[in-house]
Amino acid sequence: KLTRSQSSLVSRVSSVESSAVQVNKLAESLQGTLERQAMDQLIDGRRSLAMGTCKSLRSKLGAAQCAKLMGIALAAWSHFVGQRSRLRQALMRTRMLYSRSHIGSRLSSWSYITRRDMAEEQSQSLASVANDQNLRLEKLQESAQRQEKSALEQKRIIQQRLTAAEERLQAHSVTKAEKAGVSEHFAELELRLKEECDLTALRA
């Protein structure tokens, strides 16, 4: 039941909206026709008024005087039309000059803004490149310091090994000298024994 009532309400609302749209269209068309009729009536009234004034002037002044006045009015109208055309040409020239100056100022401002933006972009790119170079230099300095530390450590280790090898050589030379002395002492002792004692019996 609720769905049926909702659907009926929706259909009624849509029908009301469509009727309102039709009423608006009809009102617009009526307004347009009324405006056209009013303009036509105004033009007809002005035309009839002008014709009445011309007839009254012709009856009052005469044909010659009326023709003279019409000639004066025509000359004044032609003068007015010429002045209007000259004014329109002057306005066109001023508009062209204004547009040229406006376009020139816009172009100059655009070129200034583009050059400024390009300079800012170049400065930013140079700053970024400089920052990258500084970071690389810092990394290179850190690596150089590490290599220097490792080189010093290797040099210290090599010096320690050299000193240890020298100490070993000195100890070896001392032991060699001691061995030579001991062998000499043994040789001297053997000679003394040969000279002082007969060891043939012992050896036999």
Side-chain angles (χ1 to χ4, degrees):
K1 291 181 181 179
L2 289 173
T3 55
R4 287 180 182 176
S5 61
Q6 288 177 357
S7 62
S8 64
L9 284 172
V10 168
S11 63
R12 287 179 183 177
V13 168
S14 62
S15 63
V16 169
E17 288 179 352
S18 63
S19 62
V21 170
Q22 290 176 0
V23 168
N24 289 325
K25 288 181 179 179
L26 183 60
E28 289 177 357
S29 64
L30 287 172
Q31 186 177 1
T33 54
L34 288 172
E35 287 179 354
R36 284 195 296 273
Q37 288 177 1
M39 286 296 293
D40 292 336
Q41 288 178 2
L42 182 62
I43 290 166
D44 291 335
R46 286 184 177 178
R47 188 179 297 168
S48 61
L49 181 62
M51 289 177 70
T53 52
C54 287
K55 286 180 180 179
S56 63
L57 283 171
R58 185 176 293 173
S59 62
K60 287 180 182 180
L61 297 174
Q65 193 71 21
C66 187
K68 187 177 179 180
L69 288 174
M70 290 295 289
I72 292 167
L74 184 60
W77 177 255
S78 64
H79 181 68
F80 170 72
V81 170
Q83 284 184 350
R84 189 178 178 184
S85 64
R86 286 193 294 272
L87 181 62
R88 187 174 293 174
Q89 290 175 2
L91 287 173
M92 289 291 291
R93 286 196 295 271
T94 53
R95 189 177 293 174
M96 287 293 292
L97 290 171
Y98 175 74
S99 62
R100 285 179 183 176
S101 62
H102 188 67
I103 290 167
S105 62
R106 284 292 182 91
L107 286 173
S108 61
S109 62
W110 176 74
S111 63
Y112 170 73
I113 290 166
T114 51
R115 281 180 284 161
R116 185 188 64 188
D117 294 338
M118 287 176 65
E120 289 179 355
E121 288 178 358
Q122 288 177 357
S123 63
Q124 289 177 0
S125 63
L126 288 172
S128 63
V129 170
N131 290 325
D132 294 336
Q133 294 294 330
N134 288 325
L135 291 172
R136 289 179 182 178
L137 285 172
E138 289 177 357
K139 289 180 181 179
L140 289 172
Q141 287 177 356
E142 290 177 357
S143 63
Q145 288 176 359
R146 287 196 297 270
Q147 289 179 359
E148 187 176 359
K149 287 180 182 179
S150 64
L152 291 172
E153 186 68 24
Q154 289 177 1
K155 184 178 179 182
R156 186 178 61 78
I157 292 167
I158 290 168
Q159 286 179 353
Q160 288 178 357
R161 288 180 180 178
L162 286 173
T163 52
E166 288 177 355
E167 289 176 356
R168 287 175 186 174
L169 285 172
Q170 288 177 359
H172 184 67
S173 61
V174 168
T175 53
K176 191 175 181 180
E178 288 177 355
K179 285 181 181 179
V182 169
S183 60
E184 287 178 358
H185 284 298
F186 273 111
E188 289 177 356
L189 183 61
E190 190 175 359
L191 287 172
R192 285 178 65 186
L193 287 172
K194 283 181 181 180
E195 290 176 356
E196 292 177 0
C197 300
D198 189 8
L199 297 174
T200 57
L202 290 173
R203 288 178 181 176

